[in-house]
Amino acid sequence: MREFKKEKLNVKVFEDRPQLGAAAAETFTNKISELLKSNEYVNVIFASAPSQNEFLAELNKKDVEWNRINAFHMDEYVGLDKDSPAGFGNFLKDRLLQNVSCREVHYMNGNAPDIQEECKRYAGLLTKYPTDIVILGIGENTHLAFNDPHVADFNDPLIVKVVDLDQDCRVQQVNDGCFPNIDEVPTHALTITMPALFKSTFAYAIVPGSFKASAIAHTINSDISELYPSTILRRHDNATLFIDENSASQL
């Protein structure tokens, strides 16, 4: 493993995905233990994507006081069948949350009859339970959650909003194996906004794979702007980026 810093962002480069996943799970577990020494419970937002597979697999093996963790996820498709394995809540449930007993688990409902009310409901929960740790992925277009460049707003007044997904984002869902073709990928989603993600006390971005090499190069080297949303991580006081040699290949 090698590491460096870009502005405030800590960057750790691992040889491969298994090493990355194990290190991220160890970092997360240690931080949870530290926070629980002074907090009654810890509030965590989880990313849901194949990039998180190794991390989540390792997390299942860890000794974590899950009964003192309130779990959230950061985005969800609008109008996708509620039982679809491509749904982000279902993804997270399948790989982690059905295996552990959290204090509370809060899922977004992309099929709510009033989607704006659903945004308000979830925003209320995030206000009630301020985020201690956010686990992030970074999209091929540098999105965080579903804040694609055309909808990302570093000063967004909202906590949760409905967005339309750009073409690159929807293609990524096919590349990730979540959908057989782009016609099956929903066009809209719910997402936690940029400022709401940024308010987390600690941020861990887990981004392996060659598909993410360009996004990582922009994250670290491009000007900080909504054109490349993930660049905002360089301003976070306690952010760590976990990458592997493949995602670091354009640095």
Side-chain angles (χ1 to χ4, degrees):
M1 191 267 288
R2 55 192 171 94
E3 56 187 320
F4 62 93
K5 198 160 186 171
K6 180 62 182 282
E7 290 151 62
K8 292 183 177 182
L9 179 62
N10 299 298
V11 183
K12 298 187 176 186
V13 187
F14 297 86
E15 183 177 344
D16 55 27
R17 293 177 71 124
Q19 289 185 21
L20 185 162
E26 182 74 10
T27 298
F28 174 87
T29 302
N30 290 341
K31 184 57 65 177
I32 290 288
S33 297
E34 176 189 318
L35 290 172
L36 286 176
K37 290 176 182 176
S38 56
N39 297 5
E40 179 185 353
Y41 50 79
V42 175
N43 306 314
V44 183
I45 300 174
F46 288 97
S48 309
S51 62
Q52 309 298 303
N53 282 346
E54 291 80 9
F55 165 71
L56 294 173
E58 289 293 328
L59 209 49
N60 275 281
K61 306 173 188 175
K62 295 292 187 182
D63 183 16
V64 176
E65 289 188 76
W66 291 105
N67 63 325
R68 297 175 65 189
I69 291 178
N70 298 316
F72 298 82
H73 60 123
M74 60 182 57
D75 43 17
E76 187 57 272
Y77 294 112
V78 171
L80 187 66
D81 185 283
K82 66 181 179 62
D83 296 320
S84 170
F88 291 133
N90 293 336
F91 178 97
L92 208 53
K93 183 187 295 183
D94 180 59
R95 285 161 179 79
L96 179 67
L97 295 178
Q98 70 178 2
N99 305 325
V100 300
S101 298
C102 289
R103 180 179 182 271
E104 295 180 13
V105 177
H106 297 285
Y107 294 105
M108 290 180 175
N109 181 6
N111 292 295
D114 187 330
I115 210 70
Q116 294 301 332
E117 281 302 313
E118 176 63 6
C119 290
K120 292 177 184 176
R121 181 190 73 84
Y122 213 74
L125 289 166
L126 292 167
T127 301
K128 180 180 179 181
Y129 299 120
T131 309
D132 297 299
I133 301 174
V134 61
I135 304 296
L136 298 153
I138 293 176
E140 292 176 26
N141 64 1
T142 71
H143 71 210
L144 297 181
F146 268 142
N147 295 282
D148 290 336
H150 74 291
V151 294
D153 182 353
F154 291 168
N155 299 298
D156 206 313
L158 298 173
I159 297 173
V160 181
K161 67 181 180 181
V162 179
V163 294
D164 64 296
L165 306 178
D166 76 13
Q167 183 77 358
D168 289 344
C169 173
R170 295 177 71 228
V171 167
Q172 178 186 325
Q173 310 313 313
V174 179
N175 291 342
D176 280 350
C178 300
F179 295 91
N181 58 69
I182 196 166
D183 293 334
E184 301 292 322
V185 182
T187 58
H188 290 75
L190 299 169
T191 186
I192 298 176
T193 62
M194 295 295 292
L197 293 170
F198 194 81
K199 280 183 180 176
S200 63
T201 308
F202 297 92
Y204 301 131
I206 298 169
V207 195
S210 55
F211 276 124
K212 302 296 178 71
S214 175
I216 291 302
H218 284 302
T219 299
I220 292 172
N221 295 322
S222 291
D223 291 342
I224 297 175
S225 78
E226 286 99 340
L227 185 62
Y228 302 109
S230 57
T231 54
I232 195 67
L233 292 172
R234 297 183 351 229
R235 289 183 180 160
H236 196 286
D237 288 335
N238 296 292
T240 302
L241 174 61
F242 295 83
I243 55 179
D244 65 1
E245 292 294 349
N246 286 328
S247 55
S249 61
Q250 292 185 26
L251 294 179

